[in-house]
Amino acid sequence: MTVENLSSNKSFGGWNKQYSHQSTSLNCAMRFAIYLPPQASNGQKVPVLYWLSGLTCSDENFMHKAGAQRLAAELGMAIVAPDTSPRGRDVADDEGYDLGQGAGFYVNATQAPWNKHYQMYDYIVHELPALIESMFPVTDKRSIAGHSMGGHGALVIALRNSAAYQSVSAYSPISNPINCPWGKKAFTAYLGRDTSVWSDYDASTLMRNASEGNGLSFVPALVSQGEADDFLVEQLKPEMLQAAAKASGYPLVLESHEGYDHSYFFIASFMEQHLKFHAEYLKSN
Amino acid sequence: MTVENLSSNKSFGGWNKQYSHQSTSLNCAMRFAIYLPPQASNGQKVPVLYWLSGLTCSDENFMHKAGAQRLAAELGMAIVAPDTSPRGRDVADDEGYDLGQGAGFYVNATQAPWNKHYQMYDYIVHELPALIESMFPVTDKRSIAGHSMGGHGALVIALRNSAAYQSVSAYSPISNPINCPWGKKAFTAYLGRDTSVWSDYDASTLMRNASEGNGLSFVPALVSQGEADDFLVEQLKPEMLQAAAKASGYPLVLESHEGYDHSYFFIASFMEQHLKFHAEYLKSN
């Protein structure tokens, strides 16, 4: 396994680094970024927050714009930001910004030509954490968060793997992709026209069907939504997630923020709340 | 005077906005960004920090990457980030990233073809503050800061207009442009081959010749420099600024930071220190 360090920038006493590696799940070279807080340089193992970005983003947007490193340094938490899809000239793509490269939707594609590379669910759930835990001074405590398409990914992954994550949070998630244009377009391409299989990747369906017991607990969940978000009504549908939580008794905290939009200005404004939320669960377990 | 609002994003309870206006100094349309903290929406007038960016930057880099809004909201301070040069198809340019558009060096050009538009010194010192103070709920208290080429600009402007600024700070400034490749190239083009006029735009020369008295005071100055900065030895030369301050008794605080480079990861890491430094002087006057 070859892993190449592409960049290292000191940040708030820790290090912001980018790596490239050959992904077996995705069958191509993949880039990810990691922030290692100062504690990780001082012989201490730190827990990891995985951040899943939205449409068109790479591993860089969050690390450049979210203002997360200050808090990760203070809280003693690593943050890993993967790319949002497989990439490369040999990887299937589409002219739209909402399908193909930059738009993996965190699913395992079953349909040609997408199924050759677009296995983002397996990459995020299995391959990437195994790589991170083998390479860096981190514990096996993980939380997961994301924005928009990445908020959808974070919720779906936490809901389907509740033993593997201490907490989940999302900004402006695509809460009910089986019922919105972005989700229908992507799921038709990646998963096919048989909509019965789509619900495995629908946060509202998964939260509606979630239950505790048999050794499993609800993963604590925080969702933040801007009320001036241009995508709120047509694409995001947080009310569907809220209704699902009510139906199953899921302890979802969904907060609505007047005046905020879909941008990183919104994400940065509530980063302290999100990272402190995760830190509470990452440390107490 | 037509001023067009290009964007508005809520950020930490305040507003991050971009505007376009026709600049009389620069003889072209110019864009700037402003962060207005929550206090400015609550009927309060706030002081202004002007931020001058480095080579290749626009009005956006600082607002997206520095993590300054959180602190500006807390401290009740507006921040204005102008573009780094005149722009447009009719504006002279050069193939290099370090001359022409994106590289105005905050001087008033005297040489053709640059002198038609490249009057960034006048724009930053006179036109932009007058516009800001006419448009927004701000006081006439100003401080100025910048990075690299913008650190040079901030120091030069504060040293030459000590009555107009409460404080100045710089990250990784081009401290002695008359003696480094970036400065020599730009000053030859913009100011001509007669090097005797260059020293009006050289922070080390100006600081060496600075004096108090006759109603003028030294502008408090903070400079931060990363020790792993690739441009440190050849282009930045902070030791020249340090020697100048020693010679004139200028109260310069120059801090050197192990491991940090020239990037926004460095800038963000010390933003709290810089903004609190400015807030102290903006509020006490």
Side-chain angles (χ1 to χ4, degrees), chain A residues 5 15 35 74 92 94 113-114 116 133 144 148 154 195 222 226:
Chain A
N5 179 219
W15 289 91
Y35 178 70
E74 182 184 312
D94 182 88
W114 308 104
K116 186 175 174 194
E133 289 165 21
I144 191 162
S148 196
T195 59
L222 168 66

Side-chain angles (χ1 to χ4, degrees), chain A residues 8-16 63-67 69-70 258-261 263 265-266 268-270 272, chain B residues 8-16 63-67 69-70 258-261 263 265-266 268-270 272:
Chain A
S8 295
N9 301 93
K10 194 168 182 180
S11 170
F12 287 93
W15 289 91
N16 206 88
M63 294 304 198
H64 289 178
K65 296 184 172 183
Q69 290 90 348
R70 177 184 67 91
E258 187 267 322
Y260 286 93
D261 61 21
S263 71
F265 291 107
F266 170 49
S269 297
F270 295 90
E272 182 159 342
Chain B
S8 295
N9 301 92
K10 194 167 182 180
S11 169
F12 287 93
W15 289 91
N16 206 87
M63 293 306 198
H64 290 178
K65 296 184 174 183
Q69 290 90 348
R70 176 183 67 89
E258 187 266 322
Y260 287 92
D261 61 22
S263 71
F265 291 108
F266 170 50
S269 297
F270 295 91
E272 182 159 344

Side-chain angles (χ1 to χ4, degrees), chain A residues 1-7 17-23 28-33 59 123 131 135:
Chain A
M1 185 180 60
T2 312
V3 181
E4 187 187 356
N5 179 219
L6 303 175
S7 73
K17 293 168 179 268
Q18 288 176 294
Y19 290 87
S20 174
H21 73 114
Q22 189 63 30
S23 165
C28 67
M30 280 294 280
R31 205 169 72 179
F32 68 86
D59 63 300
Y123 178 69
L131 179 66
M135 280 184 69

Side-chain angles (χ1 to χ4, degrees), chain B residues 24-71:
Chain B
T24 51
S25 326
L26 300 169
N27 197 22
C28 67
M30 279 295 280
R31 206 168 72 179
F32 68 86
I34 184 168
Y35 178 70
L36 291 162
Q39 294 86 344
S41 300
N42 299 334
Q44 195 177 324
K45 286 192 170 191
V46 295
V48 184
L49 176 68
Y50 290 83
W51 173 269
L52 307 185
S53 284
L55 288 167
T56 77
C57 288
S58 73
D59 63 299
E60 294 190 331
N61 306 63
F62 177 84
M63 293 306 198
H64 290 178
K65 296 184 174 183
Q69 290 90 348
R70 176 183 67 89
L71 292 151

Side-chain angles (χ1 to χ4, degrees), chain A residues 90-229:
Chain A
D90 299 337
V91 174
D93 202 2
D94 182 88
E95 286 182 0
Y97 72 96
D98 51 2
L99 185 66
Q101 297 189 31
F105 271 86
Y106 307 102
V107 303
N108 289 336
T110 56
Q111 308 297 302
W114 308 104
N115 54 348
K116 186 175 174 194
H117 296 285
Y118 286 76
Q119 306 293 324
M120 285 296 290
Y121 181 86
D122 278 351
Y123 178 69
I124 302 296
V125 174
H126 302 296
E127 184 178 358
L128 185 62
L131 179 66
I132 296 296
E133 289 165 21
S134 74
M135 280 184 69
F136 300 105
V138 298
T139 70
D140 60 359
K141 297 296 181 210
R142 308 168 190 163
S143 289
I144 191 162
H147 172 235
S148 196
M149 175 182 76
H152 139 75
L155 288 167
V156 164
I157 285 170
L159 287 162
R160 287 177 58 175
N161 301 274
S162 62
Y165 297 93
Q166 308 299 315
S167 50
V168 58
S169 80
Y171 290 87
S172 334
I174 305 173
S175 295
N176 191 201
I178 64 177
N179 285 316
C180 81
W182 276 340
K184 286 180 184 176
K185 178 178 176 179
F187 287 9
T188 301
Y190 296 142
L191 305 174
R193 298 193 175 277
D194 174 6
T195 59
S196 68
V197 301
W198 292 9
S199 53
D200 284 350
Y201 295 109
D202 185 79
S204 291
T205 306
L206 292 167
M207 193 170 275
R208 185 173 289 272
N209 296 334
S211 60
E212 289 198 295
N214 297 319
L216 290 178
S217 306
F218 290 133
V219 181
L222 168 66
V223 171
S224 298
Q225 176 63 54
E227 294 177 11
D229 187 322

